[in-house]
Amino acid sequence: LFYSYPSLEEIVSFADKIIDPDFFYTPGGPTIVANDEDDYTVSHYHGKVIWPKQTAFAVACLSRQLRRGISESWPKDVLKNIRQAIIKTCVASFKAWREMRMVPELYYYDSTTNRSRLYTDQDIYEGPMSMIQLWSSIGARRIMREYQYVMKLKIESNSI
């Protein structure tokens, strides 16, 4: 999505899946492994966890395709769908960071307490994590910038 020119169907599919609880969406941000993947859990370092740098990359990819769609005059419903996926992903991330009072290397959404938690808050986890990481900080900045960009857009029936 970031370095190439995927088909409209691929872009719409990704935008739909990133905000679908049956795939990647959690109220704390998107997981790096689909929620329907049974071989991974939140205790796996590369499992059903949320990485700010991966979230930033997904948001940047969608934002790049949104800009492309605007310049190529894609259907307004597609543009609105992509914009909504970006907004929902950003807002979920902001909520998680506010709850944890930080932007850690990785975290997970705890559905039993209905809040985002540090990866190392669990009794059992696969490996250590950094409480702060350069890539996470850069990722958070990118998410904020893309959020600001899409919030300024108005996608209406006849104009953008």
Side-chain angles (χ1 to χ4, degrees):
L1 288 174
F2 196 78
Y3 295 110
S4 65
Y5 294 89
S7 70
L8 192 58
E9 292 77 23
E10 291 172 311
I11 297 163
V12 169
S13 174
F14 184 73
D16 288 344
K17 287 177 181 175
I18 202 164
I19 58 173
D20 184 340
D22 290 335
F23 288 95
F24 301 103
Y25 178 80
T26 74
T31 59
I32 63 167
V33 174
N35 289 324
D36 66 347
E37 181 61 53
D38 293 330
D39 293 337
Y40 295 94
T41 69
V42 296
S43 65
H44 290 102
Y45 189 74
H46 293 99
K48 294 179 185 179
V49 294
I50 302 153
W51 292 63
K53 70 178 182 181
Q54 304 310 89
T55 301
F57 197 65
V59 167
C61 293
L62 286 171
S63 189
R64 178 181 183 274
Q65 297 305 325
L66 180 61
R67 286 175 173 88
R68 176 182 162 209
I70 291 168
S71 70
E72 294 178 8
S73 300
W74 290 353
K76 298 296 179 202
D77 62 323
V78 169
L79 297 175
K80 287 180 181 179
N81 184 41
I82 296 169
R83 180 179 182 265
Q84 187 56 37
I86 295 168
I87 292 169
K88 191 170 183 178
T89 301
C90 292
V91 168
S93 297
F94 299 153
K95 178 182 175 284
W97 303 338
R98 187 173 48 250
E99 286 174 350
M100 295 181 294
R101 294 189 170 137
M102 66 172 61
V103 182
E105 177 187 8
L106 73 155
Y107 58 97
Y108 71 102
Y109 183 76
D110 184 349
S111 58
T112 59
T113 61
N114 217 16
R115 66 182 304 253
S116 296
R117 303 188 52 91
L118 296 174
Y119 173 71
T120 53
D121 283 351
Q122 305 174 80
D123 291 331
I124 300 171
Y125 52 90
E126 197 173 57
M129 63 160 259
S130 299
M131 293 300 230
I132 188 163
Q133 185 187 54
L134 178 61
W135 288 113
S136 297
S137 299
I138 292 169
R141 182 173 180 249
R142 170 58 65 187
I143 292 167
M144 290 175 209
R145 292 180 120 191
E146 298 301 345
Y147 179 77
Q148 183 181 29
Y149 167 73
V150 298
M151 291 306 290
K152 290 179 181 179
L153 287 177
K154 293 194 182 348
I155 302 173
E156 300 167 4
S157 57
N158 296 325
S159 65
I160 188 140

